[in-house]
Amino acid sequence: MNEIVNTTNAPAPIGPYSQAVIANGFLFMSGQVAINPSNGEIISSSVHEETHQVMRNIKAVLLEASYSFEDVVKTTIFLSDMSLFAEVNEVYGSYFESNFPARETVAVKGLPKGVNVEISMTAYKV
């Protein structure tokens, strides 16, 4: 049986999906963007701050599900432009101490709400 994960400490889904689903020890997290969950505002002052907000949202979902960044095994990063890679990568990397997950980073034509960064993750715990 799948377990749906939902927390008010991350933005509510803006469509017919869950923040995350746990199945057989895996946590499948939907993509997170830089929406401040306390007021619904998009953080767009800089790519640096936008990426930190995305990672804070991810951390909130991980914590709600009793997982951590150490449990993350796979990440997908979507960027509005590949020129943002270095700055996003620097912020993203600061949330991991070791055993970095597998990852791909792709540039896409557009992201929800006009953001520059969306990140999804898969985590695993026995």
Side-chain angles (χ1 to χ4, degrees):
M1 185 61 124
N2 296 341
E3 178 185 344
I4 302 299
V5 177
N6 190 27
T7 177
T8 57
N9 295 321
I14 56 176
Y17 61 89
S18 300
Q19 288 173 329
V21 176
I22 299 172
N24 297 323
F26 284 95
L27 173 74
F28 299 96
M29 187 181 308
S30 295
Q32 290 290 318
V33 297
I35 297 174
N36 180 332
S38 65
N39 61 17
E41 298 288 321
I42 294 174
I43 305 300
S44 61
S45 55
S46 70
V47 171
H48 182 47
E49 283 307 311
E50 186 175 341
T51 306
H52 271 298
Q53 184 63 53
V54 170
M55 297 303 285
R56 286 190 293 268
N57 292 343
I58 288 169
K59 183 177 182 180
V61 176
L62 288 168
L63 289 173
E64 182 68 24
S66 299
Y67 286 73
S68 72
F69 283 109
E70 291 179 9
D71 300 314
V72 175
V73 295
K74 178 74 166 64
T75 301
T76 302
I77 300 176
F78 301 95
L79 300 175
S80 63
D81 190 299
M82 201 53 87
S83 67
L84 305 173
F85 179 85
E87 192 169 1
V88 170
N89 194 52
E90 179 183 342
V91 174
Y92 166 90
S94 71
Y95 285 81
F96 295 93
E97 293 182 20
S98 62
N99 298 324
F100 297 107
R103 182 184 90 185
E104 67 265 333
T105 303
V106 295
V108 297
K109 186 173 181 176
L111 289 167
K113 305 236 179 228
V115 299
N116 292 301
V117 181
E118 180 175 0
I119 301 175
S120 65
M121 294 187 178
T122 301
Y124 179 75
K125 251 183 7 179
V126 178

